[in-house]
Amino acid sequence: MTAIASLSAAELGALYAARELSPVEVARDALDRIERFEPEINAFVVRDEATTLAMAEAAGTRWLKGEALGPLDGVPVTIKDNIAVAGWPMKRGSAVASDAPWTEDAPATARLREAGCVFLGKTTMPEYGWKGVGDSPLSGITRNPWNIGTGPGGSSAGAASCAALNLGCIHLGTDGAGSVRIPAAFTGVVGLKPSYGRVPAWPVSTMGFLAHLGPLTRTVTDTALAMNAIARPDERDMTAIIADPIDYVAALSGGVKGLRIAYSAGLGGDVPVDADVARLAREAALSFRELGASVEEVDPGFADPIETLMVLWSAGAALALRSIGPDGRTRMDPGLVAVAEAGEQVPGSTYVDALLNQRNALAHQMAQFHARFDLLLTPTLPLPAFETGRNTPAHGGYGEDWTRWTPFTYPFNITQQPAISLPCGLTGGGLPAGLQIVGAFAQDALVLRAAAAFEALRPFARVDAPIKSI
């Protein structure tokens, strides 16, 4: 990496303030690197160099005048293709979607724009974000910089690959069943799913209360900086949390001494966990004892909520595709079409039961668990990144359903709790593994504080993702 590309958002802000670096220099460096890596990685669906440089020039002028909008002014960011950006289309990974530009920013986009961030483009995703890998009929296959024969996971696929290569500092993603944390784990970056409503959404996802927005970054501090910008209520989202603003950066200090932490190697299920991933995650979890926390190996005690997820997920897919006729569906991902067709058969009473009764029962069970434990740690995923062109790995006994290899992420979309994935080392094959930290609902600041303490003990951010062939 060049010197500029290795800098975090926090470091850029300090250098801008000292007039040792300009946003235009940073933007040009990012654009040059995107041009270099994009043919191999395929992480973008929209690139707009003129807009990027105009935003950088405006940020540079503000810094020179002493009128910077804040610590993120001039920091380069990317935005996932299912999040609205005024002036750019939002195709959601679909070849049948309109090319017309949106006239209004989504709330999180607007907050980043108000903070002075420089938009590098929109990143790739599977069609309508329906699965945990990174290919779509619109953009093809997005690849993992750690090994381009493997995928970065999904659905925030391009965001994660960009984060791993520092093609920008903050990468806005979405997470309906793990779509921020899955690719964060596969690419060795930080990925936060905040509590539901912490980051407002508009347009509202058809996945309803499962869908969260959150950042992927290279450092916990950059994640906190992003949250300071985007975690504010918006009148377009009636479910957004109404609360006094939290300074997530200030909340990073304090450590974890005295916290009660549970570690679950598999959430009590029977999904096979790769031996390297299991070892790295367990070592990472037990390292919290070095930081003064108590760590107990214990499962939270709930049954796999896959049926609840699939009722909500398939019904959401059906709603997303309801205006697309048979001809359009022939141009779509067949897996998505199949899920939507299954969702069309879900009775209303079954949906309401999953939405209210089953979801609330699991949330109540986790609330009781967190009365005993401040945090729950798990592997983010049971395996490292696998080959592209597949929805499930060819080996390992995970079957044909992509949700079967993501059993540790989607429960916490159902409960709406904050959860973060942190890199915790490399497997023998040289691929990243992830540690997931889960907190009680609305305890986002505590999750970030624990993440910062772990990152300080086991730093990974300066491990650069190499572009390697399989």
Side-chain angles (χ1 to χ4, degrees):
M1 287 188 172
T2 65
I4 290 177
S6 69
L7 297 170
S8 67
E11 290 167 332
L12 286 180
L15 289 170
Y16 293 159
R19 299 191 180 184
E20 295 179 14
L21 193 62
S22 78
V24 173
E25 290 177 279
V26 172
R28 289 192 182 279
D29 182 81
L31 292 171
D32 288 346
R33 286 170 50 75
I34 291 169
E35 192 68 27
R36 173 185 167 193
F37 292 124
E38 180 63 5
E40 288 186 279
I41 300 302
N42 187 34
F44 285 90
V45 290
V46 173
R47 288 191 286 162
D48 183 351
E49 183 172 323
T51 294
T52 299
L53 291 176
M55 296 179 84
E57 289 166 0
T61 299
R62 290 191 293 269
W63 280 107
L64 288 174
K65 290 182 176 180
E67 299 173 352
L69 299 174
L72 292 180
D73 204 350
V75 169
V77 304
T78 71
I79 298 163
K80 188 177 175 182
D81 191 31
N82 61 347
I83 302 172
V85 179
W88 291 345
M90 182 171 70
K91 295 179 71 70
R92 300 181 176 91
S94 181
V96 304
S98 171
D99 291 320
W102 278 67
T103 59
E104 190 174 356
D105 285 333
T109 310
R111 302 296 88 80
L112 292 177
R113 194 187 297 273
E114 291 162 7
C117 292
V118 174
F119 295 176
L120 295 174
K122 300 196 78 176
T123 53
T124 56
M125 59 181 290
E127 195 163 28
Y128 284 87
W130 81 274
K131 59 184 179 179
V133 295
D135 62 83
S136 78
L138 176 67
S139 57
I141 293 173
T142 298
R143 298 183 181 274
N144 187 337
W146 288 92
N147 187 322
I148 62 174
T150 69
S155 64
S156 303
S161 291
C162 286
L165 289 168
N166 243 10
L167 305 179
C169 295
I170 294 168
H171 308 276
L172 195 58
T174 61
D175 190 317
S179 289
V180 163
R181 291 159 291 153
I182 293 167
F186 275 178
T187 60
V189 301
V190 179
L192 173 68
K193 180 191 76 67
S195 297
Y196 185 84
R198 184 70 78 187
V199 179
W202 178 90
V204 176
S205 170
T206 61
M207 298 303 172
F209 292 106
L210 296 173
H212 303 59
L213 282 85
L216 295 97
T217 71
R218 292 263 296 217
T219 72
V220 176
T221 298
D222 280 3
T223 295
L225 280 167
M227 287 294 289
N228 277 354
I230 64 177
R232 286 186 281 152
D234 187 284
E235 62 184 8
R236 293 171 290 179
D237 186 351
M238 65 177 291
T239 66
I241 293 174
I242 301 173
D244 292 332
I246 298 170
D247 185 339
Y248 290 97
V249 176
L252 294 180
S253 61
V256 297
K257 186 175 181 180
L259 291 187
R260 302 159 301 166
I261 295 177
Y263 175 62
S264 175
L267 289 183
D270 58 0
V271 172
V273 180
D274 174 87
D276 280 352
V277 170
R279 174 182 55 82
L280 290 166
R282 185 175 187 276
E283 290 174 355
L286 295 182
S287 73
F288 278 80
R289 291 173 178 168
E290 300 175 45
L291 299 169
S294 65
V295 180
E296 180 179 344
E297 296 192 52
V298 59
D299 295 325
F302 58 76
D304 186 351
I306 184 63
E307 292 184 6
T308 301
L309 174 81
M310 291 314 300
V311 166
L312 300 174
W313 197 258
S314 63
L319 180 60
L321 271 60
R322 66 177 177 176
S323 64
I324 300 173
D327 290 344
R329 294 188 182 202
T330 63
R331 299 166 55 201
M332 303 185 80
D333 187 321
L336 169 61
V337 173
V339 170
E341 290 175 349
E344 291 167 356
Q345 305 305 312
V346 173
S349 59
T350 300
Y351 179 82
V352 172
D353 181 51
L355 180 67
L356 298 181
N357 299 329
Q358 296 174 31
R359 191 166 61 88
N360 286 344
L362 182 57
H364 178 64
Q365 189 167 358
M366 284 306 301
Q368 291 178 311
F369 181 80
H370 282 291
R372 297 169 50 209
F373 296 100
D374 300 296
L375 298 168
L376 169 65
L377 309 186
T378 76
T380 306
L381 295 169
L383 75 171
F386 55 89
E387 60 271 32
T388 59
R390 300 184 55 88
N391 292 341
T392 60
H395 306 287
Y398 296 102
E400 297 301 318
D401 184 345
W402 74 266
T403 56
R404 293 300 180 182
W405 58 263
T406 62
F408 310 145
T409 57
Y410 58 72
F412 306 110
N413 291 83
I414 296 171
T415 63
Q416 304 183 335
Q417 297 169 242
I420 194 168
S421 179
L422 301 168
C424 62
L426 298 176
T427 66
L431 293 171
L435 175 72
Q436 180 174 230
I437 303 176
V438 182
F441 183 78
Q443 292 297 312
D444 305 64
L446 177 61
V447 167
L448 284 168
R449 193 177 97 205
F454 175 75
E455 181 183 62
L457 181 69
R458 303 273 295 273
F460 192 87
R462 300 307 186 189
V463 177
D464 299 336
I467 296 284
K468 294 198 301 187
S469 297
I470 196 165

